[in-house]
Amino acid sequence: MKIWTEPPAKTDVEAVVRRYFGLLRDGKTPEAEQLVEHTSVKHVLKSLWSGSVGASLDTEPAAGEWERDLSWLRELALGNFAWGDSGSNFYVEITFREQTIEVALGFWVKPVDDGWVVSGPSTLW
């Protein structure tokens, strides 16, 4: 996990999130989880699938369909970053086939014993 000894710049935090998302897209979830103080990656992936592929289906998907083939991740991309007024929390829009989906990922920069880390993501609908 990336730990800063001083409060990190927004660009440094965004670079960590970009790297995290790139690892997720490549199916390297263990490596992605090592970059941030992480919540359940299974929840994150299921939410991203529901907001992208699942939202575009005409029929109800089979249970666990999103887990069987993760190739859909390659069609996701990061959109805009939106920082809160405090400068410690933000969310990033997600696109699927170049269209912004209803799910965004929320992160925050929080102090820990050794400095500051990026924590998250939460899924925002």
Side-chain angles (χ1 to χ4, degrees):
M1 175 173 11
K2 174 68 177 167
I3 300 175
W4 290 273
T5 56
E6 297 181 10
K10 289 179 182 178
T11 54
D12 294 334
V13 171
E14 290 177 8
V16 167
V17 170
R18 289 180 197 289
R19 175 83 175 119
Y20 164 82
F21 192 76
L23 289 168
L24 273 187
R25 282 186 47 176
D26 292 343
K28 298 178 180 178
T29 55
E31 293 92 336
E33 289 177 304
Q34 297 300 312
L35 287 178
V36 300
E37 186 180 81
H38 208 283
T39 56
S40 167
V41 73
K42 187 173 183 171
H43 170 77
V44 171
L45 292 176
K46 184 176 181 184
S47 295
L48 289 173
W49 186 88
S50 296
S52 60
V53 178
S56 65
L57 296 177
D58 292 331
T59 61
E60 188 66 28
E65 184 175 331
W66 65 272
E67 294 177 283
R68 288 190 265 288
D69 177 8
L70 296 177
S71 63
W72 58 271
L73 284 167
R74 287 185 230 114
E75 296 189 67
L76 299 179
L78 292 179
N80 295 319
F81 285 76
W83 284 83
D85 292 337
S86 70
S88 64
N89 63 315
F90 62 97
Y91 69 89
V92 60
E93 295 174 335
I94 307 297
T95 64
F96 175 65
R97 298 177 181 159
E98 300 182 11
Q99 298 294 316
T100 301
I101 64 173
E102 292 185 19
V103 179
L105 298 180
F107 295 88
W108 55 100
V109 177
K110 71 178 212 176
V112 294
D113 290 340
D114 298 333
W116 285 263
V117 298
V118 177
S119 188
S122 59
T123 53
L124 309 172
W125 290 81

